[in-house]
Amino acid sequence: MKKILVIEDETQTRDIFLRCLSFEGFFALGAESGLAGMKLAQTHLPDLIVCDIMMPDVDGYTVLSTLRQNSSTAVIPFIFLTAKVTMTDLRRGMELGADDYLTKPCTVEQFLLAIATRLQRQETLKHWYANPQLESLSATNAAPANPKSIFPNNPKLAKVFRFIEAHYHQSISLTDVAQTAGYSPAYLTNLVQSQTGRTVKQWITERRMAEARKLLVNTAHSVSQVAEIVGYADVSYFIRQFRQFHNTSPQAWRNSINFQEVEAQAV
């Protein structure tokens, strides 16, 4: 029976989530504050934590940061629950190692789906980590599709880059990569930064951008289709990230490449 911890100061919301979790066969734990939630997490070591951001004692960011610094709770999947989320909130949460966000009010179906998705991802990672031969096979199979890797040849980070290469088109987080590499998120962040001058998130984004450019040039897929293929559920976010990398939109970049090809052929 999977243990799910819900840290939420609103009694009605917390009780609804706890009841639906119990109904679905989970062992549900509830905490009315951040401090109480951290104690329950350290005592019961749940399989997943859902935590509100705004709470009266300590906020969700503090809860996440504290748990990520403890070896026994560092890799527990963590979903933020918030009434309002901005890009700043997203970046801050992801940098701390959050796995997902749920925006209140959310339906019970959305709540359960987010939990099921993260638990399935956790099981996949455990299976991957327990069977390193699968990693070697995946890397071998992926090599012909990407003969010119964007990643540097760094033995210390080989496992990290192989995992990103195999999963960049999926919803992966710093915690996913860290668990596969056998590091804590904080240690991995420092290691990658010191070795490459970039963050794990930047490497994931760069790999997605490389694939997006290839698809924009070599296929007739729409921008939204390209975004979905390379791992973006939100096409607007994909366009913003593409613009940050290339100072232009995906469609404008595609048009400029096509125009250059036509000019070259005319010459």
Side-chain angles (χ1 to χ4, degrees):
M1 183 181 291
K2 295 290 186 181
K3 289 185 288 187
I4 310 297
L5 170 60
V6 178
I7 308 173
E8 167 63 69
D9 63 306
E10 295 179 3
T11 303
Q12 184 177 8
T13 301
R14 185 176 68 252
D15 288 346
I16 290 173
F17 287 154
L18 292 176
R19 284 199 298 270
C20 77
L21 286 170
S22 297
F23 182 78
E24 292 295 324
F26 293 104
F27 183 84
L29 298 163
E32 71 284 357
S33 69
L35 290 175
M38 288 188 287
K39 290 179 181 178
L40 282 176
Q42 292 163 356
T43 301
H44 293 276
L45 300 179
D47 295 285
L48 182 143
I49 298 171
V50 179
C51 182
D52 191 16
I53 291 181
M54 300 304 296
M55 292 182 289
D57 53 357
V58 296
D59 63 20
Y61 297 121
T62 302
V63 173
L64 175 56
S65 178
T66 301
L67 295 180
R68 287 293 186 253
Q69 294 174 36
N70 188 317
S71 60
S72 62
T73 57
V75 297
I76 297 175
F78 196 100
I79 299 176
F80 270 132
L81 187 64
T82 178
K84 183 181 179 181
V85 61
T86 65
M87 289 306 299
T88 301
D89 296 325
L90 281 171
R91 283 194 294 269
R92 184 179 178 187
M94 293 307 176
E95 287 169 359
L96 289 172
D99 296 283
D100 203 353
Y101 272 85
L102 278 172
T103 303
K104 294 190 293 185
C106 68
T107 65
V108 169
E109 289 76 14
Q110 291 170 329
F111 175 75
L112 292 174
L113 178 60
I115 289 174
T117 300
R118 295 315 311 177
L119 289 176
Q120 179 59 50
R121 165 63 59 190
Q122 190 77 345
E123 289 301 315
T124 301
L125 289 171
K126 287 180 180 178
H127 182 63
W128 182 278
Y129 189 62
N131 296 273
Q133 68 273 15
L134 295 178
E135 182 180 344
S136 299
L137 179 60
S138 176
T140 301
N141 291 338
N146 186 37
K148 295 182 179 179
S149 175
I150 68 165
F151 302 116
N153 183 14
N154 187 314
K156 290 184 178 180
L157 300 175
K159 185 177 289 187
V160 172
F161 292 142
R162 284 199 297 269
F163 181 80
I164 294 175
E165 178 63 35
H167 298 278
Y168 70 87
H169 57 286
Q170 300 171 340
S171 177
I172 57 175
S173 68
L174 171 64
T175 304
D176 295 333
V177 182
Q179 183 173 347
T180 300
Y183 301 130
S184 71
Y187 178 81
L188 179 62
T189 297
N190 292 332
L191 178 63
V192 174
Q193 185 74 46
S194 65
Q195 293 286 315
T196 69
R198 301 176 190 175
T199 65
V200 172
K201 182 180 178 181
Q202 286 174 328
W203 281 115
I204 295 172
T205 302
E206 288 203 26
R207 182 62 187 92
R208 288 173 172 172
M209 291 297 110
E211 187 66 16
R213 290 192 298 270
K214 185 171 72 174
L215 291 171
L216 288 168
V217 171
N218 298 324
T219 76
H221 293 321
S222 66
V223 171
S224 60
Q225 288 174 323
V226 171
E228 183 177 359
I229 291 171
V230 300
Y232 291 91
D234 184 349
V235 64
S236 297
Y237 183 48
F238 164 69
I239 293 173
R240 287 196 297 273
Q241 286 215 316
F242 193 94
R243 189 182 294 276
Q244 288 176 359
F245 266 73
H246 305 90
N247 294 319
T248 187
S249 69
Q251 189 59 53
W253 186 88
R254 167 185 267 170
N255 292 342
S256 69
I257 294 299
N258 290 339
F259 180 74
Q260 292 171 20
E261 290 180 350
V262 169
E263 279 195 325
Q265 291 172 3
V267 173

Coordinates of all heavy atoms in Angstrom, one line a residue, residues 165-250:
E165 N 19.5 12.0 -22.4 CA 19.3 11.6 -23.8 C 18.1 10.6 -24.0 O 17.4 10.8 -25.0 CB 20.6 10.9 -24.3 CG 20.5 10.5 -25.8 CD 20.3 11.6 -26.7 OE1 20.9 12.7 -26.5 OE2 19.6 11.4 -27.8
A166 N 18.0 9.7 -23.1 CA 16.9 8.7 -23.2 C 15.5 9.3 -22.9 O 14.5 8.7 -23.3 CB 17.2 7.5 -22.4
H167 N 15.5 10.3 -22.0 CA 14.2 10.8 -21.5 C 13.9 12.2 -21.7 O 12.9 12.7 -21.1 CB 14.2 10.4 -20.0 CG 14.3 9.0 -19.7 ND1 13.2 8.1 -19.7 CD2 15.3 8.2 -19.3 CE1 13.6 6.9 -19.4 NE2 14.9 6.9 -19.2
Y168 N 14.7 13.0 -22.5 CA 14.5 14.4 -22.6 C 13.1 14.8 -23.1 O 12.5 15.8 -22.8 CB 15.5 15.0 -23.5 CG 15.4 14.7 -25.0 CD1 14.5 15.4 -25.8 CD2 16.1 13.6 -25.5 CE1 14.4 15.1 -27.1 CE2 15.9 13.2 -26.8 CZ 15.1 14.0 -27.6 OH 14.9 13.6 -28.9
H169 N 12.5 13.8 -23.9 CA 11.2 14.1 -24.5 C 10.0 13.8 -23.5 O 8.8 14.0 -23.9 CB 11.0 13.2 -25.7 CG 11.2 11.8 -25.5 ND1 12.4 11.2 -25.2 CD2 10.2 10.8 -25.4 CE1 12.2 9.9 -25.0 NE2 10.9 9.6 -25.1
Q170 N 10.4 13.4 -22.3 CA 9.4 13.2 -21.3 C 9.4 14.2 -20.2 O 10.3 15.1 -20.2 CB 9.6 11.8 -20.6 CG 9.5 10.6 -21.6 CD 10.0 9.3 -21.1 OE1 10.7 9.3 -20.0 NE2 9.6 8.2 -21.7
S171 N 8.5 14.2 -19.2 CA 8.5 15.2 -18.1 C 9.5 14.7 -17.1 O 9.1 13.9 -16.2 CB 7.1 15.3 -17.6 OG 7.1 16.2 -16.5
I172 N 10.7 15.1 -17.1 CA 11.7 14.7 -16.1 C 12.2 15.9 -15.3 O 12.1 17.0 -15.8 CB 12.9 14.0 -16.8 CG1 13.6 14.9 -17.8 CG2 12.5 12.7 -17.4 CD1 14.9 14.4 -18.4
S173 N 12.5 15.7 -14.1 CA 12.9 16.7 -13.2 C 14.4 16.5 -12.7 O 15.0 15.4 -13.0 CB 12.0 16.8 -12.0 OG 12.2 15.6 -11.2
L174 N 14.9 17.4 -12.0 CA 16.2 17.3 -11.4 C 16.3 16.1 -10.5 O 17.3 15.3 -10.5 CB 16.6 18.6 -10.6 CG 17.8 18.5 -9.7 CD1 19.1 18.3 -10.6 CD2 17.9 19.8 -8.9
T175 N 15.2 15.8 -9.8 CA 15.1 14.7 -8.8 C 15.2 13.4 -9.6 O 15.9 12.4 -9.2 CB 13.8 14.7 -8.0 OG1 13.8 16.0 -7.3 CG2 13.8 13.6 -7.0
D176 N 14.5 13.3 -10.7 CA 14.6 12.1 -11.6 C 16.0 11.8 -12.0 O 16.5 10.7 -11.9 CB 13.7 12.2 -12.8 CG 12.3 12.4 -12.5 OD1 11.8 11.8 -11.5 OD2 11.5 13.0 -13.3
V177 N 16.7 12.8 -12.5 CA 18.1 12.6 -13.0 C 19.0 12.3 -11.8 O 19.9 11.4 -11.9 CB 18.6 13.9 -13.7 CG1 20.0 13.7 -14.2 CG2 17.7 14.3 -14.8
A178 N 18.8 13.0 -10.7 CA 19.7 12.7 -9.5 C 19.5 11.3 -9.0 O 20.5 10.7 -8.6 CB 19.3 13.7 -8.4
Q179 N 18.3 10.8 -8.9 CA 18.1 9.5 -8.4 C 18.8 8.4 -9.3 O 19.4 7.5 -8.8 CB 16.6 9.2 -8.3 CG 16.3 7.8 -7.7 CD 14.9 7.6 -7.4 OE1 14.1 8.5 -7.4 NE2 14.5 6.3 -7.1
T180 N 18.6 8.6 -10.6 CA 19.3 7.7 -11.6 C 20.8 7.7 -11.4 O 21.4 6.7 -11.5 CB 18.8 8.1 -13.0 OG1 17.4 8.0 -13.1 CG2 19.5 7.1 -14.0
A181 N 21.3 8.9 -11.2 CA 22.8 9.0 -11.1 C 23.3 8.6 -9.8 O 24.5 8.4 -9.6 CB 23.2 10.5 -11.4
G182 N 22.4 8.4 -8.8 CA 22.8 8.0 -7.5 C 23.3 9.2 -6.6 O 24.0 9.0 -5.6
Y183 N 22.9 10.4 -6.9 CA 23.3 11.6 -6.2 C 22.0 12.3 -5.6 O 20.9 12.0 -6.0 CB 24.0 12.6 -7.0 CG 25.2 12.1 -7.7 CD1 25.4 12.3 -9.1 CD2 26.2 11.5 -7.0 CE1 26.6 11.9 -9.8 CE2 27.4 11.1 -7.7 CZ 27.5 11.3 -9.0 OH 28.7 10.8 -9.6
S184 N 22.3 13.2 -4.6 CA 21.2 14.0 -4.1 C 21.0 15.1 -5.1 O 22.0 15.5 -5.8 CB 21.5 14.6 -2.7 OG 22.6 15.6 -2.9
P185 N 19.8 15.7 -5.2 CA 19.6 16.8 -6.2 C 20.6 18.0 -6.0 O 21.1 18.6 -6.9 CB 18.2 17.3 -5.9 CG 17.5 16.0 -5.4 CD 18.6 15.3 -4.6
A186 N 20.9 18.3 -4.7 CA 21.8 19.4 -4.4 C 23.2 19.1 -4.9 O 23.9 20.0 -5.5 CB 21.8 19.8 -2.9
Y187 N 23.7 17.9 -4.6 CA 25.0 17.5 -5.0 C 25.2 17.5 -6.5 O 26.2 18.0 -7.1 CB 25.4 16.1 -4.4 CG 26.8 15.7 -4.8 CD1 27.9 16.1 -4.2 CD2 26.9 14.8 -5.9 CE1 29.2 15.7 -4.5 CE2 28.2 14.4 -6.3 CZ 29.3 14.8 -5.6 OH 30.6 14.4 -6.0
L188 N 24.1 16.9 -7.2 CA 24.2 16.9 -8.6 C 24.2 18.2 -9.2 O 24.9 18.5 -10.2 CB 23.0 16.1 -9.2 CG 22.9 15.9 -10.7 CD1 24.1 15.2 -11.2 CD2 21.6 15.2 -11.1
T189 N 23.4 19.1 -8.7 CA 23.4 20.5 -9.2 C 24.8 21.1 -9.1 O 25.3 21.7 -10.1 CB 22.4 21.4 -8.3 OG1 21.1 20.9 -8.5 CG2 22.4 22.8 -8.8
N190 N 25.4 21.0 -8.0 CA 26.8 21.6 -7.8 C 27.8 20.9 -8.7 O 28.7 21.5 -9.3 CB 27.2 21.4 -6.4 CG 26.4 22.3 -5.4 OD1 25.9 23.3 -5.8 ND2 26.3 21.9 -4.2
L191 N 27.7 19.5 -8.9 CA 28.6 18.8 -9.7 C 28.5 19.2 -11.2 O 29.5 19.5 -11.8 CB 28.3 17.3 -9.6 CG 29.2 16.4 -10.4 CD1 30.7 16.5 -10.0 CD2 28.7 14.9 -10.3
V192 N 27.3 19.2 -11.7 CA 27.1 19.6 -13.1 C 27.5 21.1 -13.3 O 28.1 21.4 -14.4 CB 25.6 19.4 -13.5 CG1 25.4 19.9 -14.9 CG2 25.2 17.9 -13.4
Q193 N 27.2 21.9 -12.4 CA 27.6 23.3 -12.6 C 29.1 23.5 -12.6 O 29.6 24.2 -13.4 CB 27.0 24.2 -11.4 CG 27.2 25.6 -11.5 CD 26.3 26.3 -12.6 OE1 25.2 26.0 -12.6 NE2 26.9 27.2 -13.4
S194 N 29.8 22.8 -11.7 CA 31.2 22.9 -11.6 C 31.9 22.3 -12.8 O 33.0 22.7 -13.3 CB 31.7 22.3 -10.3 OG 31.5 20.9 -10.3
Q195 N 31.3 21.2 -13.4 CA 32.0 20.5 -14.5 C 31.7 21.1 -15.8 O 32.5 21.0 -16.7 CB 31.5 19.0 -14.5 CG 32.0 18.2 -13.3 CD 33.4 17.8 -13.3 OE1 33.9 17.4 -14.4 NE2 34.1 18.0 -12.2
T196 N 30.5 21.7 -16.0 CA 30.1 22.2 -17.3 C 29.7 23.7 -17.3 O 29.6 24.2 -18.4 CB 28.9 21.4 -17.8 OG1 27.7 21.7 -17.0 CG2 29.1 19.9 -17.7
G197 N 29.5 24.3 -16.2 CA 29.1 25.7 -16.1 C 27.6 25.9 -16.4 O 27.1 27.0 -16.6
R198 N 26.9 24.8 -16.5 CA 25.4 24.8 -16.7 C 24.7 24.0 -15.7 O 25.3 23.2 -15.0 CB 25.1 24.3 -18.1 CG 25.8 25.1 -19.2 CD 25.6 24.5 -20.6 NE 26.4 25.1 -21.6 CZ 26.4 24.7 -22.9 NH1 25.7 23.7 -23.3 NH2 27.2 25.3 -23.7
T199 N 23.4 24.1 -15.7 CA 22.6 23.3 -14.8 C 22.0 22.1 -15.5 O 22.0 22.0 -16.7 CB 21.4 24.2 -14.2 OG1 20.5 24.5 -15.3 CG2 21.9 25.4 -13.5
V200 N 21.5 21.2 -14.7 CA 20.8 20.0 -15.3 C 19.6 20.5 -16.2 O 19.4 20.0 -17.3 CB 20.3 19.1 -14.2 CG1 19.5 17.9 -14.8 CG2 21.5 18.5 -13.4
K201 N 18.8 21.4 -15.7 CA 17.7 21.9 -16.4 C 18.1 22.5 -17.7 O 17.5 22.3 -18.8 CB 16.9 22.9 -15.6 CG 15.7 23.5 -16.3 CD 15.0 24.5 -15.5 CE 13.8 25.0 -16.2 NZ 13.0 26.1 -15.4
Q202 N 19.2 23.2 -17.7 CA 19.7 23.8 -19.0 C 20.1 22.8 -20.0 O 19.9 22.9 -21.2 CB 20.9 24.8 -18.7 CG 20.5 26.1 -18.1 CD 21.7 26.9 -17.6 OE1 22.7 26.4 -17.3 NE2 21.5 28.2 -17.7
W203 N 20.7 21.7 -19.5 CA 21.1 20.6 -20.4 C 19.9 19.9 -21.0 O 19.9 19.5 -22.2 CB 22.0 19.6 -19.7 CG 23.4 20.0 -19.6 CD1 24.1 20.3 -18.5 CD2 24.3 20.2 -20.7 NE1 25.4 20.7 -18.8 CE2 25.6 20.6 -20.1 CE3 24.2 20.1 -22.1 CZ2 26.7 20.9 -20.9 CZ3 25.3 20.4 -22.9 CH2 26.5 20.8 -22.3
I204 N 18.9 19.7 -20.2 CA 17.6 19.1 -20.7 C 17.0 20.0 -21.7 O 16.6 19.6 -22.8 CB 16.6 18.9 -19.5 CG1 17.1 17.9 -18.5 CG2 15.2 18.5 -20.1 CD1 16.3 17.7 -17.3
T205 N 17.0 21.3 -21.4 CA 16.4 22.3 -22.4 C 17.2 22.3 -23.7 O 16.6 22.3 -24.8 CB 16.4 23.7 -21.8 OG1 15.6 23.6 -20.6 CG2 15.7 24.7 -22.7
E206 N 18.6 22.3 -23.6 CA 19.4 22.3 -24.8 C 19.2 21.1 -25.7 O 19.1 21.2 -26.9 CB 20.9 22.4 -24.4 CG 21.2 23.8 -23.9 CD 22.7 24.1 -24.0 OE1 23.4 23.5 -24.9 OE2 23.2 24.9 -23.2
R207 N 19.0 19.9 -25.0 CA 18.7 18.7 -25.8 C 17.4 18.8 -26.5 O 17.2 18.4 -27.7 CB 18.8 17.5 -24.9 CG 18.5 16.2 -25.6 CD 19.6 15.9 -26.7 NE 19.4 14.8 -27.5 CZ 18.8 14.8 -28.7 NH1 18.3 16.0 -29.2 NH2 18.6 13.7 -29.4
R208 N 16.4 19.4 -25.8 CA 15.1 19.5 -26.4 C 15.2 20.5 -27.6 O 14.5 20.3 -28.6 CB 14.1 20.0 -25.4 CG 13.7 19.0 -24.4 CD 12.8 19.5 -23.3 NE 12.3 18.4 -22.4 CZ 11.6 18.6 -21.3 NH1 11.4 19.9 -20.9 NH2 11.2 17.6 -20.6
M209 N 15.9 21.6 -27.4 CA 16.0 22.6 -28.5 C 16.7 22.0 -29.7 O 16.4 22.3 -30.8 CB 16.8 23.8 -28.0 CG 16.1 24.7 -26.9 SD 14.6 25.4 -27.6 CE 13.3 24.5 -26.6
A210 N 17.7 21.2 -29.5 CA 18.4 20.5 -30.6 C 17.5 19.7 -31.4 O 17.5 19.7 -32.6 CB 19.6 19.7 -30.1
E211 N 16.6 18.9 -30.7 CA 15.7 18.1 -31.4 C 14.6 18.9 -32.1 O 14.2 18.6 -33.2 CB 15.0 17.1 -30.4 CG 14.1 16.1 -31.0 CD 14.9 15.1 -31.9 OE1 16.1 15.0 -31.8 OE2 14.2 14.4 -32.7
A212 N 14.2 20.0 -31.4 CA 13.2 20.9 -32.0 C 13.7 21.5 -33.3 O 12.9 21.5 -34.3 CB 12.8 22.0 -31.0
R213 N 14.9 21.9 -33.4 CA 15.5 22.5 -34.6 C 15.5 21.4 -35.7 O 15.2 21.7 -36.9 CB 16.9 23.0 -34.4 CG 17.0 24.2 -33.5 CD 18.4 24.8 -33.5 NE 19.4 23.9 -33.0 CZ 19.8 23.9 -31.7 NH1 19.2 24.6 -30.8 NH2 20.7 23.0 -31.3
K214 N 15.9 20.2 -35.4 CA 15.9 19.1 -36.4 C 14.5 18.9 -37.0 O 14.3 18.7 -38.2 CB 16.5 17.9 -35.8 CG 16.6 16.7 -36.8 CD 17.4 15.6 -36.2 CE 16.5 14.8 -35.2 NZ 17.2 13.6 -34.7
L215 N 13.5 18.9 -36.1 CA 12.1 18.6 -36.5 C 11.6 19.8 -37.3 O 10.9 19.6 -38.3 CB 11.2 18.4 -35.3 CG 11.5 17.1 -34.5 CD1 10.7 17.0 -33.2 CD2 11.1 15.9 -35.4
L216 N 11.9 21.0 -37.0 CA 11.5 22.2 -37.7 C 12.0 22.2 -39.1 O 11.4 22.6 -40.1 CB 11.8 23.4 -36.9 CG 11.1 23.7 -35.6 CD1 11.7 24.9 -34.9 CD2 9.6 24.1 -35.9
V217 N 13.2 21.7 -39.3 CA 13.9 21.7 -40.6 C 13.5 20.5 -41.4 O 13.2 20.7 -42.6 CB 15.4 21.7 -40.4 CG1 16.1 21.5 -41.8 CG2 15.9 23.0 -39.8
N218 N 13.4 19.4 -40.8 CA 13.2 18.1 -41.6 C 11.8 17.6 -41.7 O 11.6 16.6 -42.3 CB 14.1 17.0 -41.0 CG 15.6 17.4 -41.1 OD1 16.0 18.0 -42.1 ND2 16.4 17.1 -40.1
T219 N 10.9 18.2 -41.0 CA 9.5 17.7 -41.0 C 8.5 18.8 -41.2 O 8.9 20.0 -41.2 CB 9.1 17.0 -39.7 OG1 8.8 18.0 -38.7 CG2 10.2 16.0 -39.2
A220 N 7.3 18.5 -41.5 CA 6.2 19.5 -41.7 C 5.3 19.6 -40.4 O 4.3 20.1 -40.5 CB 5.3 19.1 -42.9
H221 N 5.8 19.1 -39.3 CA 5.1 19.1 -38.1 C 4.8 20.6 -37.7 O 5.7 21.5 -37.9 CB 5.8 18.5 -36.9 CG 6.0 17.0 -37.1 ND1 5.0 16.2 -37.6 CD2 7.0 16.2 -36.8 CE1 5.4 14.9 -37.6 NE2 6.7 14.9 -37.1
S222 N 3.6 20.8 -37.1 CA 3.3 22.2 -36.6 C 4.2 22.4 -35.4 O 4.8 21.5 -34.8 CB 1.8 22.3 -36.3 OG 1.6 21.4 -35.2
V223 N 4.2 23.7 -35.0 CA 5.0 24.1 -33.8 C 4.5 23.4 -32.6 O 5.2 22.9 -31.8 CB 5.0 25.6 -33.6 CG1 5.6 26.0 -32.3 CG2 5.7 26.3 -34.8
S224 N 3.2 23.3 -32.5 CA 2.6 22.6 -31.3 C 2.9 21.1 -31.3 O 3.2 20.5 -30.2 CB 1.1 22.7 -31.3 OG 0.5 22.2 -32.5
Q225 N 3.0 20.5 -32.5 CA 3.4 19.1 -32.6 C 4.9 18.9 -32.2 O 5.2 18.0 -31.5 CB 3.1 18.5 -34.0 CG 1.7 18.3 -34.3 CD 1.5 18.0 -35.8 OE1 2.2 18.5 -36.7 NE2 0.5 17.1 -36.1
V226 N 5.7 19.8 -32.7 CA 7.1 19.8 -32.3 C 7.3 19.9 -30.8 O 8.0 19.2 -30.2 CB 7.9 20.8 -33.1 CG1 9.3 20.9 -32.5 CG2 7.9 20.6 -34.6
A227 N 6.5 20.8 -30.2 CA 6.6 21.1 -28.8 C 6.3 19.8 -28.0 O 7.0 19.4 -27.1 CB 5.7 22.2 -28.4
E228 N 5.2 19.1 -28.4 CA 4.8 17.9 -27.7 C 5.8 16.8 -27.9 O 6.1 16.1 -26.9 CB 3.4 17.4 -28.3 CG 2.9 16.2 -27.6 CD 1.5 15.8 -28.1 OE1 1.0 16.5 -29.0 OE2 1.0 14.8 -27.6
I229 N 6.4 16.7 -29.1 CA 7.3 15.6 -29.4 C 8.6 15.7 -28.5 O 9.2 14.8 -28.0 CB 7.7 15.6 -30.8 CG1 6.5 15.1 -31.7 CG2 8.9 14.7 -31.1 CD1 6.8 15.3 -33.2
V230 N 9.1 17.0 -28.3 CA 10.3 17.2 -27.5 C 10.1 17.4 -26.0 O 11.0 17.7 -25.3 CB 11.1 18.4 -28.1 CG1 11.5 18.2 -29.6 CG2 10.3 19.7 -27.9
G231 N 8.8 17.2 -25.6 CA 8.6 17.1 -24.1 C 7.9 18.3 -23.5 O 7.9 18.4 -22.3
Y232 N 7.3 19.2 -24.3 CA 6.5 20.3 -23.7 C 5.0 20.1 -23.9 O 4.5 20.0 -25.0 CB 6.9 21.6 -24.5 CG 8.3 22.0 -24.2 CD1 9.4 21.6 -25.0 CD2 8.7 22.9 -23.1 CE1 10.7 22.0 -24.8 CE2 10.0 23.3 -22.9 CZ 11.0 22.8 -23.7 OH 12.3 23.2 -23.5
A233 N 4.3 20.1 -22.7 CA 2.9 20.0 -22.7 C 2.3 21.3 -23.1 O 1.1 21.4 -23.6 CB 2.4 19.4 -21.4
D234 N 3.0 22.4 -22.7 CA 2.5 23.7 -23.0 C 3.3 24.4 -24.1 O 4.5 24.7 -24.0 CB 2.7 24.6 -21.7 CG 2.1 26.0 -21.8 OD1 1.8 26.4 -22.9 OD2 2.1 26.7 -20.8
V235 N 2.6 24.5 -25.3 CA 3.3 25.1 -26.5 C 3.8 26.5 -26.2 O 4.8 26.9 -26.8 CB 2.4 25.0 -27.7 CG1 1.1 25.9 -27.5 CG2 3.1 25.4 -29.0
S236 N 3.0 27.3 -25.4 CA 3.5 28.7 -25.1 C 4.8 28.7 -24.4 O 5.7 29.5 -24.7 CB 2.4 29.4 -24.3 OG 1.2 29.5 -25.0
Y237 N 5.0 27.8 -23.5 CA 6.2 27.7 -22.7 C 7.4 27.3 -23.7 O 8.5 27.8 -23.6 CB 6.1 26.7 -21.6 CG 7.3 26.6 -20.7 CD1 8.0 27.7 -20.2 CD2 7.8 25.3 -20.3 CE1 9.1 27.6 -19.4 CE2 9.0 25.2 -19.5 CZ 9.6 26.4 -19.1 OH 10.7 26.3 -18.3
F238 N 7.1 26.3 -24.6 CA 8.1 25.9 -25.6 C 8.5 27.1 -26.4 O 9.7 27.3 -26.7 CB 7.5 24.8 -26.5 CG 8.3 24.6 -27.7 CD1 9.5 24.0 -27.7 CD2 7.8 24.9 -29.0 CE1 10.3 23.8 -28.8 CE2 8.5 24.7 -30.1 CZ 9.7 24.1 -30.1
I239 N 7.5 27.9 -26.9 CA 7.9 29.0 -27.7 C 8.7 30.0 -27.0 O 9.7 30.6 -27.5 CB 6.6 29.7 -28.3 CG1 5.9 28.8 -29.2 CG2 6.9 31.0 -28.9 CD1 4.5 29.2 -29.7
R240 N 8.4 30.3 -25.7 CA 9.2 31.2 -24.9 C 10.6 30.7 -24.7 O 11.6 31.5 -24.8 CB 8.5 31.4 -23.5 CG 7.3 32.2 -23.5 CD 6.9 32.7 -22.1 NE 6.6 31.6 -21.2 CZ 5.4 31.1 -21.1 NH1 4.4 31.5 -21.8 NH2 5.2 30.1 -20.2
Q241 N 10.8 29.4 -24.5 CA 12.1 28.9 -24.3 C 12.9 28.9 -25.6 O 14.1 29.2 -25.6 CB 12.1 27.5 -23.7 CG 11.7 27.4 -22.3 CD 12.4 26.3 -21.6 OE1 12.5 25.2 -22.1 NE2 12.9 26.5 -20.4
F242 N 12.2 28.6 -26.7 CA 12.9 28.7 -28.0 C 13.3 30.1 -28.3 O 14.5 30.3 -28.8 CB 11.9 28.2 -29.1 CG 12.6 27.9 -30.4 CD1 13.0 26.6 -30.8 CD2 12.8 28.9 -31.3 CE1 13.6 26.4 -32.0 CE2 13.4 28.7 -32.5 CZ 13.8 27.4 -32.9
R243 N 12.5 31.0 -28.0 CA 12.9 32.4 -28.2 C 14.1 32.9 -27.4 O 14.9 33.6 -27.8 CB 11.6 33.3 -28.0 CG 11.8 34.8 -28.4 CD 10.6 35.6 -28.0 NE 9.5 35.2 -28.8 CZ 9.2 35.7 -30.0 NH1 10.0 36.5 -30.6 NH2 8.1 35.2 -30.6
Q244 N 14.1 32.4 -26.1 CA 15.3 32.7 -25.3 C 16.6 32.2 -25.9 O 17.6 32.8 -25.7 CB 15.0 32.1 -23.9 CG 14.0 32.8 -23.1 CD 13.7 32.1 -21.7 OE1 14.3 31.1 -21.4 NE2 12.8 32.7 -21.0
F245 N 16.5 31.0 -26.5 CA 17.7 30.4 -27.1 C 18.1 31.0 -28.4 O 19.3 31.1 -28.8 CB 17.5 28.9 -27.3 CG 17.9 28.0 -26.1 CD1 17.2 28.0 -24.9 CD2 19.1 27.3 -26.2 CE1 17.6 27.3 -23.9 CE2 19.5 26.5 -25.1 CZ 18.8 26.5 -24.0
H246 N 17.1 31.4 -29.2 CA 17.3 31.8 -30.6 C 16.9 33.2 -31.0 O 17.1 33.6 -32.1 CB 16.6 30.8 -31.6 CG 17.0 29.4 -31.3 ND1 16.2 28.6 -30.5 CD2 18.0 28.6 -31.8 CE1 16.8 27.3 -30.4 NE2 17.8 27.3 -31.2
N247 N 16.4 33.9 -30.0 CA 16.0 35.3 -30.2 C 14.9 35.4 -31.3 O 14.8 36.5 -32.0 CB 17.2 36.2 -30.6 CG 18.1 36.3 -29.4 OD1 17.7 36.5 -28.2 ND2 19.4 36.3 -29.7
T248 N 14.2 34.4 -31.5 CA 13.1 34.4 -32.5 C 12.2 33.3 -32.2 O 12.5 32.3 -31.5 CB 13.6 34.3 -34.0 OG1 12.5 34.5 -34.9 CG2 14.3 32.9 -34.2
S249 N 11.0 33.3 -32.8 CA 10.0 32.2 -32.6 C 10.4 31.0 -33.4 O 11.1 31.1 -34.4 CB 8.6 32.7 -32.9 OG 8.5 32.8 -34.3
P250 N 9.8 29.8 -33.0 CA 10.1 28.6 -33.8 C 9.7 28.7 -35.3 O 10.4 28.3 -36.2 CB 9.3 27.5 -33.1 CG 9.1 28.0 -31.7 CD 9.0 29.5 -31.8

